[in-house]
Amino acid sequence: MTAITRVRGDITEQHVDVIVNAANSSLLGGGGVDGAIHRKGGPAILAECRALRASRLGRGLPTGRAVATTAGRLPARWVVHTVGPVHSPDEDRSGLLASCYRESLRVAAGLGAATVAFPAISTGVFRWPLADAARVAVSAVREATAGRDFAEVRFVLFDDRAYDAFGAEL
């Protein structure tokens, strides 16, 4: 059975097999978690992202999908990039948010990863309300890890509000 845990901290400092990046569709870096991962991981991550864009992801990575690259200088083996949806009060996009977690775990399993660290996808500039994002994330991870051989899936949460929201779901 997979241990699903949470820590308050910096995702770029996690010693795990896979760090999940809340990427933008261009895969070429950005702000928030994405920018931090690219800065700390170094140019090898960007080089692999550019290669993906030049080959099979010419239009970018679609929302809810995931793809892996090296982790560069991060203390992980791989980075799995996923594009979260922008929250909308008028349209239910929770299926796309859940897909980010499921697809990231599918890619991680394909790599043979045993430990995976996730940020709170879509809760920054994409404005997903924390409590709802935590509900969707925890539910999707529980569903996706059933019958899989992960030792741990960890939510790495930047502040107390996120830590508390995920704690309420766990």
Side-chain angles (χ1 to χ4, degrees), residues 34-162:
D34 192 22
I37 285 173
H38 276 272
R39 279 190 304 277
K40 192 160 184 180
I45 297 172
L46 183 57
E48 284 194 30
C49 287
R50 284 188 173 139
L52 286 166
R53 288 297 309 273
S55 61
R56 61 188 174 103
L57 294 173
R59 293 182 179 215
L61 184 64
T63 301
R65 301 277 306 278
V67 66
T69 65
T70 181
R73 297 188 301 249
L74 294 169
R77 295 176 66 193
W78 301 282
V79 173
V80 170
H81 306 265
T82 190
V83 180
V86 174
H87 181 262
S88 170
D90 303 319
E91 179 184 347
D92 181 8
R93 298 179 181 166
S94 58
L96 285 170
L97 182 57
S99 181
C100 291
Y101 292 95
R102 286 192 309 267
E103 286 294 302
S104 294
L105 289 168
R106 182 188 60 77
V107 170
L111 295 168
T115 53
V116 179
F118 278 102
I121 297 168
S122 289
T123 62
V125 295
F126 288 176
R127 301 178 316 278
W128 206 286
L130 267 172
D132 192 54
R135 178 190 60 78
V136 171
V138 171
S139 175
V141 166
R142 284 183 173 143
E143 173 188 310
T145 57
R148 287 227 167 108
D149 290 331
F150 292 106
E152 180 187 15
V153 173
R154 178 184 313 162
F155 292 106
V156 182
L157 306 155
F158 190 71
D159 61 25
D160 289 335
R161 283 184 56 240

